């Protein structure tokens, strides 16, 4: 059996004698799995630990939480996304940065369609390849129009904003594209970037679609098939982004230098931060 005790966020600035918050994480595989949800719920309510104590599986969870040492969280959701899902949880010592990579109107219209769209509406909007084309156009637009945001992320990472977390709503489009751009700046081969991006299709990583209503047709096979391209990570989406870089800037190097304003010195700092 292993036991660990780790200091967490707020303790360093706490007044001696002031009450402290400890998370005591017990052992056992089932309990170890449950602890992830418990810790998430506590953080959502603004309850952060000064001390982490664990045994067995709980020790592993405690060590993991203490080791993250997050510096910054990049949230690429827009106002409509945040209204639906809520803002990021405030974690001790972590700075939250909201950089919307899509317009609020797009988010509002998108989630209304996903959650409330009737089958005839979904057929008209998403059928016959329209859903996949919508995603491809979105990737192209983000690459061309959100250079300032991607530049800001890469400059922050180069200037010691690591470890960092990037996320959006589904976790594979705005965040996935931002990570792909980061990997391009690091000089990672395109095939490896695509392979990493496609990992978002793993069952435990996929976004769980929620729809309003209780009738049997709400989650019918046809409805889910129509919605599927919106929540798939497809190589053709990322390929469209790469093609847009080639068509707009003539290549990756020009995109990084002219589009994102990355100097050779900054890219070297970025590699030093993120590569072994």
């Amino acid at each position: 059996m292993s036991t660990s005790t780790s200091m967490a966020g707020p303790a360093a600035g706490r007044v001696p004698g002031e009450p402290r918050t400890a998370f005591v994480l017990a052992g056992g595989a089932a309990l170890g799995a449950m602890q992830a949800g418990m810790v998430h719920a506590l953080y959502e309510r603004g309850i952060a630990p000064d001390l982490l104590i664990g045994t067995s599986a709980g020790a592993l969870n405690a060590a993991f939480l203490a080791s993250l040492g997050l510096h910054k969280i990049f949230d690429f959701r827009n106002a409509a996304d945040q209204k639906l899902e809520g803002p990021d949880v405030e974690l001790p010592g972590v700075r939250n940065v909201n950089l919307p990579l899509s317009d609020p109107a797009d988010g509002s219209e998108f989630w209304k369609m996903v959650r409330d769209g009737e089958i005839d509406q979904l057929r008209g909007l998403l059928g016959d390849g329209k859903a996949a084309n919508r995603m491809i156009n979105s990737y192209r637009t983000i690459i061309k129009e959100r250079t300032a945001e991607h530049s800001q992320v890469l400059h922050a990472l180069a200037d010691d904003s690591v470890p960092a977390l990037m996320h959006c709503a589904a976790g594979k489009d705005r965040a996935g594209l931002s990570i792909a751009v980061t990997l391009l700046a690091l000089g990672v081969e395109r095939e490896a970037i695509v392979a990493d991006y496609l990992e978002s299709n793993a069952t435990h990583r996929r976004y769980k679609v929620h729809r309003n209503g209780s009738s049997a047709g709400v989650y019918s096979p046809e409805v889910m098939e129509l919605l599927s391209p919106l929540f798939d990570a497809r190589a053709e989406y990322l390929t469209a982004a790469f093609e847009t870089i080639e068509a707009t800037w003539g290549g990756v190097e020009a995109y990084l230098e002219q589009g994102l304003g990355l100097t050779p010195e900054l890219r070297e700092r970025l590699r030093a931060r993120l590569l072994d």
Side-chain angles (χ1 to χ4, degrees), residues 52-247:
L52 292 164
I53 303 171
T55 59
S56 189
L60 297 176
N61 283 342
F64 174 73
L65 287 169
S67 70
L68 288 178
L70 278 178
H71 185 287
K72 191 168 291 186
I73 296 175
F74 294 100
D75 178 3
F76 301 123
R77 297 176 301 163
N78 58 37
D81 298 322
Q82 291 190 334
K83 182 178 180 180
L84 184 68
E85 301 175 329
D88 278 342
V89 176
E90 295 287 340
L91 299 178
V94 180
R95 183 184 173 199
N96 292 343
V97 179
N98 180 224
L99 290 173
L101 292 184
S102 57
D103 295 330
D106 293 338
S108 179
E109 177 266 335
F110 176 82
W111 290 116
K112 181 173 177 57
M113 174 183 63
V114 169
R115 300 209 167 191
D116 300 311
E118 299 290 340
I119 186 63
D120 289 339
Q121 179 191 21
L122 295 178
R123 287 171 182 153
L125 292 173
L126 305 176
D128 299 322
K130 294 188 184 74
N133 287 334
R134 176 192 179 105
M135 299 305 298
I136 288 171
N137 290 333
S138 173
Y139 277 55
R140 292 187 185 279
T141 298
I142 289 174
I143 284 294
K144 287 193 294 186
E145 298 184 2
R146 301 295 178 173
T147 52
E149 288 84 351
H150 282 148
S151 176
Q152 182 176 337
V153 169
L154 292 173
H155 277 80
L157 293 177
D159 292 336
D160 199 24
S161 288
V162 292
L165 171 70
M166 301 184 195
H167 78 92
C168 50
K172 55 95 183 176
D173 297 315
R174 290 164 290 186
L177 195 47
S178 298
I179 291 169
V181 168
T182 302
L183 294 176
L184 282 177
L186 291 171
V188 176
E189 293 182 356
R190 200 168 293 189
E191 293 78 9
I193 296 174
V194 173
D196 178 73
Y197 165 77
L198 293 177
E199 287 294 322
S200 292
N201 286 323
T203 303
H204 66 287
R205 292 190 174 105
R206 286 184 66 88
Y207 181 84
K208 185 174 177 57
V209 177
H210 298 282
R211 286 182 42 82
N212 296 323
S214 56
S215 68
V218 169
Y219 290 99
S220 72
E222 184 181 4
V223 166
M224 299 312 292
E225 183 178 354
L226 286 166
L227 292 175
S228 180
L230 305 179
F231 297 100
D232 288 345
R234 298 186 178 184
E236 63 189 281
Y237 300 165
L238 203 54
T239 297
F242 293 149
E243 290 174 348
T244 301
I245 288 173
E246 297 288 340

Side-chain angles (χ1 to χ4, degrees), residues 2-15:
S2 61
T3 304
S4 74
T5 303
S6 304
M7 301 305 294
R14 190 174 294 283
V15 176

